[in-house]
Amino acid sequence: DIQMTQSPSSLSAFVGDRVTITCRASQGISSYLAWYQQKPGKAPKLLIYAASTLQAGVPSRFSGGGSGTDFTLTISSLQPEDVATYYCQKYNSAPQMFGQGTKVEIK
Amino acid sequence: DVQLLESGGGLVQPGGSLRLSCAASGFTFSSHAMTWVRQAPGTGLEWVAGIATSGGNTYYAASVEGRFTITRDNSKNTMYLQMSSLRGEDTATYFCARWGGVIPLVHPIDYWGQGTLVTVSS
């Protein structure tokens, strides 16, 4: 099975900072990569799919990049409402593996 | 608006069974592959199972294969997850979710329910 590894597992940054989360697949997955945001006690929300396509309604400060095995999620200017855990997911085949998550907090 | 409403969670003893339901509304249910994802307390997301639009093709995580069965009834706009031989490690919030297209596995999950908690304990 393809494994998804995110880093870091947590980060703390100031409001307005640029934040980048990475996700690495153990084998190539082309661009079959999605990013989700999950706030405490809530269901996950799709932010980005096909590695770099922003889901409708998601603020433009979120962006995604990469292909093959290495991917990034960038928040260009961190806002208080971005406090959440972020997950990557590969969706080219079964099993549909998620990364272990990156918890983002405000300093 | 797309809505996914799970039900059927609760407390069950190890070795027991439980059936979860997911009632869908706000979209053409028969045009979307569907899936279940779970989250154990304080941990990350784990994909559990998926089903094609017709119900003819199903997919499972290795951790549940042979114990869980995913089905759907397009006439009732409802998906199910029959869980048997339950173990402590199955304790989790189970999310019903919609794949963003007809074909299973090759679309991101674009809508999620709020989840239903399953607790396996004696």
Side-chain angles (χ1 to χ4, degrees), chain B residues 67 72 88:
Chain B
R67 300 187 300 121
R72 65 191 292 164

Side-chain angles (χ1 to χ4, degrees), chain A residues 20-55:
Chain A
T20 298
I21 299 168
T22 65
C23 178
R24 175 165 289 176
S26 60
Q27 298 175 36
I29 58 170
S30 184
S31 295
Y32 288 94
L33 192 283
W35 290 96
Y36 302 90
Q37 176 194 64
Q38 186 179 32
K39 296 183 178 181
K42 300 293 187 182
K45 171 188 172 183
L46 177 64
L47 296 177
I48 286 169
Y49 62 96
S52 60
T53 302
L54 202 65
Q55 175 72 341

Side-chain angles (χ1 to χ4, degrees), chain A residues 10-90:
Chain A
S10 65
L11 66 89
S12 182
F14 291 103
V15 171
D17 280 354
R18 183 181 184 89
V19 167
T20 298
I21 299 168
T22 65
C23 178
R24 175 165 289 176
S26 60
Q27 298 175 36
I29 58 170
S30 184
S31 295
Y32 288 94
L33 192 283
W35 290 96
Y36 302 90
Q37 176 194 64
Q38 186 179 32
K39 296 183 178 181
K42 300 293 187 182
K45 171 188 172 183
L46 177 64
L47 296 177
I48 286 169
Y49 62 96
S52 60
T53 302
L54 202 65
Q55 175 72 341
V58 174
S60 59
R61 63 180 180 274
F62 291 92
S63 64
S67 67
T69 59
D70 295 304
F71 303 88
T72 58
L73 171 69
T74 298
I75 308 173
S76 62
S77 177
L78 187 66
Q79 299 301 304
E81 59 266 33
D82 300 335
V83 169
T85 301
Y86 294 84
Y87 296 92
C88 65
Q89 181 214 20
K90 71 96 175 172

Side-chain angles (χ1 to χ4, degrees), chain A residues 1 32 34 36 38 41-46 48-49 55 87 89 91-100, chain B residues 35 37 39 43-47 59-62 95 99 104-115:
Chain A
D1 294 347
Y32 288 94
Y36 302 90
Q38 186 179 32
K42 300 293 187 182
K45 171 188 172 183
L46 177 64
I48 286 169
Y49 62 96
Q55 175 72 341
Y87 296 92
Q89 181 214 20
Y91 58 89
N92 61 327
S93 63
Q96 301 221 304
M97 302 298 291
F98 290 88
Q100 76 276 22
Chain B
T35 187
V37 175
Q39 186 169 35
T43 70
L45 302 170
E46 180 188 14
W47 176 75
Y59 311 86
Y60 297 95
F95 295 101
W99 271 317
L105 302 174
V106 296
H107 295 283
I109 295 172
D110 61 357
Y111 284 95
W112 301 66
Q114 286 306 302

